[in-house]
Amino acid sequence: MNWKPKRYSHLTIHDQIVDWVKSRIERGDWPVGTKLPTQRQLAAEFNVNRSTVQLALDELKADGLIESKVGAGVFVANNSWNMFLDKAQLNWNQHIESSIYKPNYHTIQLINEHEQMDRIIRLGTGELSPDLLPAKQIEQSLKEISLKPKAIGYSSPQGSEKLRVTLCKYLKSRGIETAPENILIVSGALQALQLIAIGLLEKESIVFQEQPSYLNSVHPFQSAGMRMISISRDAALTNNLRKFKRKRQSVFYCVPSLHNPTGKSWSMEEKKAVYNACKELQIPIIEDDVYHELAFETPASPIKSIDTSGQVLYIGSVSKTLSPGLRIGWVVAPSPVIERLGDIKMQTDYGSSAFSQEIVAHWISSGLYETHLIKLREQLKRRAAFVEAILERDFQRAATWKRSEGGFYIWLRFREPIVNKALFLNLLHHNVLINPGYIYETKDLHHIRLSYAYATLEDLKKGLKILLELVENRHRRG
């Protein structure tokens, strides 16, 4: 909301707020059933007292434009449009509720809403701190990039050939032998998952995953009508895959290097076991490998490096290492798969940013990227050690954890099942934002995905102190 009441208007502040809300309803910006922001949010946005907001809302309620629902909030009333000269309003909520794509969990909606607020301490964010992004170096590198007119137009369905050729050389260092025609440039790893969901699988296909899983916090497969099944990587893996798969189309999604949210990595033996089980049953593997460059020690080679049957769809990205704003990732897969996904991508966005592709190609080919990664890993290692020292000193009675292997996260497990919506909201009230375990596994009330990658060291210290105080107060009350 960019609107604010004018201090020197002939109308009072509360009258201006009333008129503004009426205009939002009349224009259809807020259809019937829309939930209004809270009084606290409106007061903060308008820079006025809550009493002024409450006075305006009371007038709107008296006019029948909005209504309160106990425990739920304030909503645009069903009869609101009777106030506007018999205008008929399209019921957008009906369209929204019957649409294909599933909404995020409310907790995730709140996370997305609050992450960009400066006052918030972000303890769970899967993103690098602005201080860790090479903004100055990227700015300097723009002077070194020679752009040809064709290069900044629409690219081919598979993306910039220059970038794909560069990636072939880069991926070889990971043990992946591929060709430009087997690479698709995408707008981040999440788009890769969305393209795979709608381009390669039929409805009611089975998506196998470990638990907890990043896929439970986003819905690319669920919204496409897929069935999610959590499975353990134990001695019964092959039999369990066979039992659940039956004659259904299926895929196995995994993050073997620095798993999201737990931060754990598979050994090469574990990777081979999953590959062989899936190969036997003809189950494609989606290998999400966006964190491997941030491992503190040399990670095991990816599953794709041992793939001799073309069944591994390999996903990489620079969003976790160079810049999420560039929106550049890639998929390595057999040619028919790449052609299919490229066709669908052209139908959705007509190609990823040409400028971003040029920047990434330059950074990887020039060696800037590898130099940046060396420095970034050291910075993340220091941040991890800083947080682990606080945990060792203050959290041993309340929680357990394992030392970070790299990436962004520590999977913090509280001894008691206290990580619920109430704790999340209480922390948010104290301007601390967490990623609770239940957004990755519905029944998980023990874990927090603790990120050391975004908040400043001072904010990490402050946020962890608030977290511990709230947890201890809750324990004393219990």
Side-chain angles (χ1 to χ4, degrees):
M1 294 184 293
N2 295 322
W3 180 86
K4 284 182 171 51
K6 297 177 181 177
R7 297 290 173 180
Y8 303 105
S9 170
H10 67 284
L11 295 174
T12 65
I13 297 296
H14 113 268
D15 283 336
Q16 291 181 62
I17 295 174
V18 168
D19 289 346
W20 179 79
V21 173
K22 284 182 178 180
S23 71
R24 296 300 297 269
I25 298 172
E26 187 173 10
R27 289 199 309 262
D29 294 341
W30 287 357
V32 170
T34 298
K35 184 177 180 180
L36 274 64
T38 65
Q39 289 185 21
R40 181 181 289 106
Q41 289 172 325
L42 290 173
E45 185 67 33
F46 298 154
N47 195 24
V48 300
N49 294 326
R50 284 184 62 184
S51 58
T52 303
V53 173
Q54 184 174 353
L55 182 63
L57 296 182
D58 287 344
E59 182 173 329
L60 291 162
K61 288 176 187 176
D63 288 341
L65 293 172
I66 60 175
E67 58 186 356
S68 295
K69 296 181 181 179
V70 178
V74 178
F75 299 81
V76 177
N78 286 331
N79 65 341
S80 61
W81 272 75
N82 293 333
M83 303 294 296
F84 297 114
L85 304 177
D86 296 323
K87 291 182 181 178
Q89 184 184 24
L90 183 64
N91 189 346
W92 279 112
N93 281 329
Q94 184 178 12
H95 286 264
I96 291 168
E97 290 168 5
S98 61
S99 65
I100 295 172
Y101 221 85
K102 293 182 179 294
N104 270 329
Y105 298 131
H106 182 239
T107 295
I108 298 174
Q109 292 180 0
L110 290 173
I111 291 172
N112 293 338
E113 176 186 343
H114 287 82
E115 275 191 331
Q116 301 307 318
M117 297 180 182
D118 292 339
R119 70 176 186 277
I120 296 294
I121 298 175
R122 295 159 63 173
L123 291 186
T125 295
E127 182 182 342
L128 287 173
S129 165
D131 295 337
L132 299 179
L133 296 176
K136 291 293 184 183
Q137 295 94 318
I138 291 177
E139 183 179 358
Q140 178 62 36
S141 69
L142 294 177
K143 302 173 185 177
E144 303 167 7
I145 297 173
S146 177
L147 294 175
K148 296 179 180 179
K150 187 177 179 181
I152 58 174
Y154 290 125
S155 61
S156 73
Q158 292 177 216
S160 160
E161 184 176 9
K162 179 197 292 187
L163 177 55
R164 288 184 285 124
V165 169
T166 299
L167 285 171
C168 287
K169 298 175 183 176
Y170 180 71
L171 290 169
K172 194 170 183 177
S173 67
R174 287 282 285 152
I176 298 174
E177 296 281 351
T178 189
E181 58 267 26
N182 295 113
I183 297 176
L184 172 70
I185 306 302
V186 291
S187 299
L190 183 56
Q191 186 186 47
L193 297 177
Q194 291 166 332
L195 293 173
I196 291 168
I198 63 176
L200 300 180
L201 300 171
E202 63 188 9
K203 282 189 176 181
E204 299 184 6
S205 293
I206 293 173
V207 179
F208 293 108
Q209 61 177 350
E210 285 193 281
Q211 198 74 300
S213 176
Y214 163 70
L215 286 186
N216 291 335
S217 66
V218 292
H219 296 139
F221 294 101
Q222 296 92 320
S223 294
M226 311 306 166
R227 182 183 173 198
M228 313 299 294
I229 293 182
S230 298
I231 200 150
S232 298
R233 292 182 295 107
D234 53 23
L237 175 61
T238 302
N239 288 335
N240 287 333
L241 288 173
R242 182 182 290 110
K243 178 178 69 174
F244 288 114
K245 178 183 184 293
R246 296 179 183 173
K247 296 183 179 180
R248 289 281 185 197
Q249 263 192 6
S250 58
V251 294
F252 191 111
Y253 171 81
C254 57
V255 188
S257 297
L258 301 175
H259 175 267
N260 181 10
T262 67
K264 297 177 182 177
S265 292
W266 299 3
S267 67
M268 200 64 217
E269 290 71 25
E270 290 174 309
K271 292 179 180 181
K272 289 178 179 177
V274 169
Y275 175 75
N276 290 330
C278 290
K279 184 177 180 181
E280 178 182 338
L281 300 172
Q282 294 289 288
I283 298 174
I285 296 172
I286 302 172
E287 183 177 16
D288 190 340
D289 204 26
V290 300
Y291 291 99
H292 80 271
E293 294 156 314
L294 302 177
F296 297 154
E297 304 295 334
T298 303
S301 298
I303 302 174
K304 186 64 178 174
S305 68
I306 59 171
D307 179 22
T308 58
S309 57
Q311 72 181 71
V312 178
L313 309 181
Y314 180 86
I315 299 174
S317 170
V318 297
S319 292
K320 304 299 181 185
T321 54
L322 183 58
S323 165
L326 288 172
R327 306 307 305 137
I328 295 296
W330 49 88
V331 182
V332 181
S335 296
V337 172
I338 293 299
E339 291 170 6
R340 168 65 170 164
L341 300 184
D343 176 54
I344 297 174
K345 180 171 170 60
M346 291 299 279
Q347 295 180 52
T348 56
D349 65 6
Y350 224 73
S352 299
S353 164
F355 290 101
S356 293
Q357 292 181 76
E358 287 288 325
I359 292 170
V360 175
H362 174 73
W363 269 67
I364 294 177
S365 62
S366 67
L368 282 171
Y369 188 53
E370 188 57 43
T371 301
H372 164 67
L373 288 175
I374 293 170
K375 180 181 178 182
L376 178 60
R377 283 191 289 266
E378 286 302 313
Q379 291 171 314
L380 288 172
K381 188 182 292 187
R382 287 196 292 269
R383 282 169 161 265
F386 178 82
V387 169
E388 287 164 353
I390 294 174
L391 296 178
E392 290 283 349
R393 187 188 67 211
D394 299 332
F395 279 76
Q396 290 205 49
R397 289 177 57 188
T400 60
W401 63 93
K402 290 187 177 179
R403 188 173 296 276
S404 175
E405 300 175 30
F408 295 172
Y409 312 123
I410 294 171
W411 192 230
L412 187 64
R413 187 186 192 280
F414 286 89
R415 300 181 189 277
E416 302 294 330
I418 57 172
V419 187
N420 53 24
K421 185 74 170 288
L423 178 64
F424 171 84
L425 293 174
N426 197 6
L427 283 163
L428 192 57
H429 179 70
H430 288 80
N431 293 326
V432 175
L433 190 61
I434 62 168
N435 280 42
Y438 64 77
I439 67 175
Y440 307 105
E441 182 177 357
T442 307
K443 296 180 181 179
D444 185 357
L445 300 179
H446 284 275
H447 287 94
I448 285 175
R449 188 186 79 174
L450 180 58
S451 170
Y452 48 78
Y454 188 85
T456 64
L457 298 184
E458 185 60 34
D459 276 350
L460 285 167
K461 183 179 179 181
K462 181 179 177 182
L464 286 169
K465 180 181 179 182
I466 293 171
L467 170 62
L468 184 62
E469 287 174 352
L470 294 184
V471 167
E472 290 180 338
N473 288 341
R474 187 181 182 88
H475 183 72
R476 282 194 291 268
R477 290 198 303 270

